[in-house]
C-alpha cells in the first residue's frame, strides 16, 4: 500500500478547465511547467529510468501553494517492471522499449505545455486541430500570442517564445529527433529562471524530502 500526500487544489486538468477552480496566472503556470520538467527529468535519469505511462493533466496534482506533483498509481507498476533486469537475449528490446517510452513522455510533455499555455483540452476529437494550430503559430508568420489562454491578463514574451520552441521540438513525429528531458529542462530554466527549490511546494510538510530528491537535479 502507498500513502500519498493530500493535494488540496485538485488536478491541473480541473484548474485549467473547470469553472469553479481558481484561475492560474502566467507565473503560476511557469512554476507548474518547471516543476513538471524537473520531476520528469529526475524520473528519466533514475537507474533504471522510470517512464510515466499516462502523462496528462489529470495525473498532475497541485499543492496548497500551486506547485505541481505528478501522481499516477500505475507509474509504480512501471517501476516494478523496469526494476526487473532483462536477460542478455532481451537486452536490446528492453533498451528500445525504454527509449520509446522516454520519447513518448517528451511528446506528452510538449502537449502538456500547449494545454497549460492555451487552456484548451488537447485530448478530444479536436486534438489534431489544436496541435495543427500550434504548429501554424510557431512556424508561420502568425503571432505566438494566438496560442495563449484568453483568460491570461499578462505574459512574458521571451518565456512564451522559448516554450513554443520546446513544444515544437517535443512533438516531432520522429521520436529520435525529440530532445531529452535534461535538454528541455535546461532550455526552459534559462528562460523562466525558476529553480528546483522554487518549484517545490513550500507549504508541504514533506518539503525536506522533496528538496532532497530535487537536489540531484540541481547538482546535475
Amino acid at each position: 500500500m502507498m500513502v500519498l500526500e493530500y493535494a488540496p487544489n485538485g488536478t491541473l486538468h480541473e484548474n485549467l478547465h473547470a469553472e469553479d477552480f481558481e484561475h492560474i496566472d502566467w507565473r503560476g503556470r511557469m512554476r507548474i511547467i518547471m516543476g513538471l520538467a524537473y520531476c520528469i527529468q529526475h524520473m528519466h535519469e533514475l537507474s533504471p529510468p522510470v517512464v510515466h505511462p499516462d502523462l496528462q493533466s489529470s495525473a498532475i496534482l497541485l499543492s496548497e501553494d500551486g506547485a505541481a506533483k505528478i501522481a499516477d498509481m500505475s507509474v509504480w507498476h512501471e517501476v516494478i517492471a523496469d526494476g526487473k533486469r532483462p536477460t542478455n537475449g532481451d537486452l536490446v528490446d528492453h533498451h528500445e522499449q525504454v527509449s520509446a517510452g522516454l520519447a513518448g513522455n517528451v511528446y506528452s510533455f510538449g502537449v502538456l505545455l500547449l494545454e497549460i499555455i492555451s487552456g484548451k483540452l488537447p485530448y478530444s476529437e479536436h486534438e489534431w486541430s489544436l496541435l495543427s494550430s500550434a504548429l501554424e503559430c510557431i512556424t508561420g508568420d502568425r503571432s505566438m500570442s494566438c496560442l495563449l489562454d484568453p483568460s491570461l491578463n499578462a505574459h512574458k514574451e521571451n518565456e512564451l517564445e522559448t516554450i513554443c520552441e520546446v513544444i515544437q521540438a517535443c512533438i516531432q513525429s520522429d521520436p529520435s529527433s525529440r530532445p531529452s528531458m535534461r535538454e528541455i529542462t535546461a532550455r526552459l530554466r534559462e528562460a523562466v529562471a525558476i529553480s528546483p527549490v522554487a518549484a517545490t511546494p513550500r507549504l508541504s510538510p514533506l518539503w525536506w524530502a522533496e528538496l532532497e530528491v530535487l537536489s540531484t537535479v540541481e547538482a546535475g
Side-chain angles (χ1 to χ4, degrees):
M1 181 180 72
M2 288 187 60
V3 178
L4 299 178
E5 182 185 357
Y6 175 59
N9 280 346
T11 67
L12 176 60
H13 183 275
E14 291 170 326
N15 279 267
L16 289 174
H17 307 299
E19 294 182 358
D20 53 342
F21 278 77
E22 188 174 346
H23 172 75
I24 307 175
D25 63 15
W26 179 258
R27 194 59 179 171
R29 298 187 196 205
M30 295 304 99
R31 184 170 178 237
I32 289 170
I33 285 172
M34 292 310 305
L36 293 174
Y38 290 129
C39 185
I40 300 168
Q41 178 189 339
H42 176 71
M43 291 167 61
H44 284 191
E45 294 181 352
L46 291 172
S47 182
V50 174
V51 175
H52 197 289
D54 191 23
L55 189 59
Q56 55 181 307
S57 58
S58 59
I60 298 165
L61 304 177
L62 297 185
S63 67
E64 188 173 352
D65 64 333
K69 291 173 170 284
I70 296 179
D72 188 331
M73 293 303 293
S74 60
V75 73
W76 298 107
H77 295 295
E78 295 290 321
V79 173
I80 294 171
D82 286 343
K84 298 176 181 177
R85 296 290 184 176
T87 62
N88 289 338
D90 295 332
L91 192 58
V92 174
D93 287 342
H94 174 77
H95 286 320
E96 289 178 351
Q97 290 172 3
V98 171
S99 296
L102 298 178
N105 274 183
V106 169
Y107 181 91
S108 296
F109 181 70
V111 175
L112 265 174
L113 291 182
L114 180 57
E115 181 178 0
I116 291 169
I117 66 170
S118 71
K120 296 179 180 178
L121 286 167
Y123 294 109
S124 67
E125 60 183 7
H126 304 298
E127 176 189 358
W128 178 245
S129 296
L130 177 59
L131 294 178
S132 296
S133 298
L135 288 174
E136 286 180 9
C137 288
I138 293 170
T139 61
D141 295 330
R142 298 171 61 187
S143 169
M144 287 181 290
S145 297
C146 67
L147 292 175
L148 284 177
D149 185 340
S151 69
L152 286 168
N153 295 323
H155 71 280
K156 292 187 176 181
E157 195 64 31
N158 67 307
E159 294 177 350
L160 175 61
E161 181 177 352
T162 297
I163 290 171
C164 288
E165 291 172 354
V166 170
I167 291 172
Q168 185 178 10
C170 288
I171 62 175
Q172 292 287 328
S173 58
D174 180 6
S176 64
S177 298
R178 298 169 195 161
S180 68
M181 282 307 303
R182 174 174 286 273
E183 293 169 325
I184 291 168
T185 301
R187 185 71 182 277
L188 289 171
R189 182 173 181 176
E190 183 179 358
V192 178
I194 294 179
S195 69
V197 172
T200 303
R202 291 186 293 270
L203 303 179
S204 169
L206 299 178
W207 64 270
W208 52 270
E210 296 177 31
L211 287 180
E212 183 176 354
V213 170
L214 287 173
S215 66
T216 61
V217 179
E218 181 82 39

